[in-house]
Amino acid sequence: MISVSGLHFSYDGKTEVLSDINLDIDRRSTAIIGQNGVGKTTFIKILKGLLRPASGKVTILGEDVTQKSAAQWASVIGLVFQNPNDQIFKKTVLEETLFGPLNIKMTPKAARKRAMEALSAVGLADKTDVNPYDLNLSDKKLLCIASVLAMNTRIVIFDEPTIAQDWQGLERIKAIINSLKAQGKLIMTIVHDIDFVAECFERTVVFNEGKVLLDGDTADVFAHVDVLRQARVSQPHIAQLAELAGLRRVCLTEDEFVRAFKDYAFIQ
């Protein structure tokens, strides 16, 4: 769905933030991880059309990303910002959720239907008349997610979706991601929560110093402990536990750990 070839980018024309990025992103849910300042957010802004590459080519659904404005890409790519206060600007929760669908020319009836479905998905359907700025940080983040979901884009990108979320909020977000995957949408995220990546994303790309250091199926990526250490990224906690237990496979979920442990015990 997205093809990136020879991508370079610099803010000042001297220091490269991204250097020779080459990626073909298919329908697998994809997490982009790495330390702060390695180019993850810059990369996503280029995909969204908010920044233009210095050189190289990015195509989305076969179209050159530079041939359309960010506004024109809005019906294709939805981006949930890291900081909700950078995204929220309407006076009520419902108005905030309606803005995107109406802006991409949905009919008022269709937009309201999509908005209410999205608010129900994030647990805010009973707060339609609340001022978004009166919400706590967790609910603000969920509102931003709802605002993007309501637009029904083919690609959805989450920037740090787990910020300020308790267990219930995390479970809602996981359910939303699973639902979007089932609909055949491309889901991407920038996130520091490695356990969240292990549980929800099929593919993981590790950025380091503006380059792609690792890319592949999530379990395969987290098997490269030495390379992860170079990028200052840890394995998921369940994978670390499996290693301490002497298991020979990378486990990404509790169920995988239990099955692997039973197999190990049987062999012993």
Side-chain angles (χ1 to χ4, degrees):
M1 297 183 77
I2 300 174
S3 179
V4 181
S5 177
L7 173 64
H8 292 259
F9 181 84
S10 171
Y11 285 101
D12 60 9
K14 299 176 182 178
T15 305
E16 284 200 324
V17 178
L18 297 173
S19 177
D20 196 26
I21 304 295
N22 297 279
L23 288 170
D24 285 314
I25 301 173
D26 50 32
R27 290 185 183 273
R28 287 177 295 171
S29 54
T30 299
I32 300 175
I33 63 175
Q35 291 296 306
N36 291 332
V38 297
K40 305 186 303 296
T41 298
T42 298
F43 178 70
I44 290 302
K45 286 182 177 179
I46 290 173
L47 298 188
K48 178 65 175 168
L50 298 171
L51 296 172
R52 301 283 171 153
S55 62
K57 188 172 184 179
V58 179
T59 60
I60 298 175
L61 303 176
E63 294 187 72
D64 189 327
V65 72
T66 63
Q67 298 305 304
K68 291 183 178 180
S69 66
Q72 290 173 312
W73 282 114
S75 61
V76 177
I77 305 175
L79 172 61
V80 180
F81 289 16
Q82 177 176 339
N83 184 351
N85 293 321
D86 292 340
Q87 190 164 348
I88 291 170
F89 66 100
K90 288 293 187 177
K91 293 182 179 179
T92 70
V93 164
L94 182 57
E95 288 178 2
E96 186 70 41
T97 316
L98 281 170
F99 177 79
L102 292 174
N103 200 47
I104 60 172
K105 310 304 181 186
M106 280 190 196
T107 66
K109 182 178 180 181
R112 186 179 181 87
K113 180 176 183 294
R114 290 291 314 177
M116 291 309 302
E117 289 174 349
L119 288 171
S120 295
V122 301
L124 295 178
D126 60 342
K127 297 183 178 181
T128 54
D129 295 328
V130 174
N131 188 313
Y133 291 101
D134 292 333
L135 298 173
N136 60 37
L137 181 58
S138 173
D139 282 347
K140 283 181 181 178
K141 189 74 174 183
L142 291 169
L143 173 58
C144 290
I145 291 174
S147 299
V148 171
L149 293 181
M151 297 172 70
N152 195 29
T153 56
R154 293 183 66 179
I155 301 169
V156 181
I157 304 174
F158 298 92
D159 192 347
E160 298 292 352
T162 63
I163 283 179
Q165 297 303 318
D166 58 13
W167 180 85
Q168 185 178 32
L170 282 175
E171 291 304 305
R172 283 189 183 279
I173 293 170
K174 290 174 186 177
I176 288 167
I177 288 173
N178 288 332
S179 174
L180 293 172
K181 288 194 289 188
Q183 295 171 46
K185 298 180 184 293
L186 170 59
I187 312 303
M188 299 179 65
T189 190
I190 304 170
V191 68
H192 284 91
D193 187 338
I194 300 302
D195 295 324
F196 178 74
V197 172
E199 188 167 350
C200 297
F201 290 86
E202 300 156 282
R203 178 181 182 180
T204 297
V205 181
V206 181
F207 272 40
N208 187 50
E209 297 181 351
K211 298 181 179 181
V212 173
L213 193 62
L214 277 173
D215 173 25
D217 290 341
T218 296
D220 292 338
V221 166
F222 284 125
H224 291 81
V225 179
D226 291 342
V227 183
L228 292 173
R229 190 176 295 117
Q230 180 183 339
R232 291 170 293 164
V233 171
S234 301
Q235 284 185 308
H237 286 98
I238 199 71
Q240 295 180 44
L241 180 61
E243 184 176 356
L244 288 172
L247 305 183
R248 295 182 178 179
R249 71 179 72 170
V250 175
C251 298
L252 299 181
T253 66
E254 293 177 7
D255 288 343
E256 288 180 8
F257 176 80
V258 170
R259 288 196 298 270
F261 192 81
K262 287 180 176 178
D263 291 345
Y264 176 79
F266 177 78
I267 293 172
Q268 296 298 309

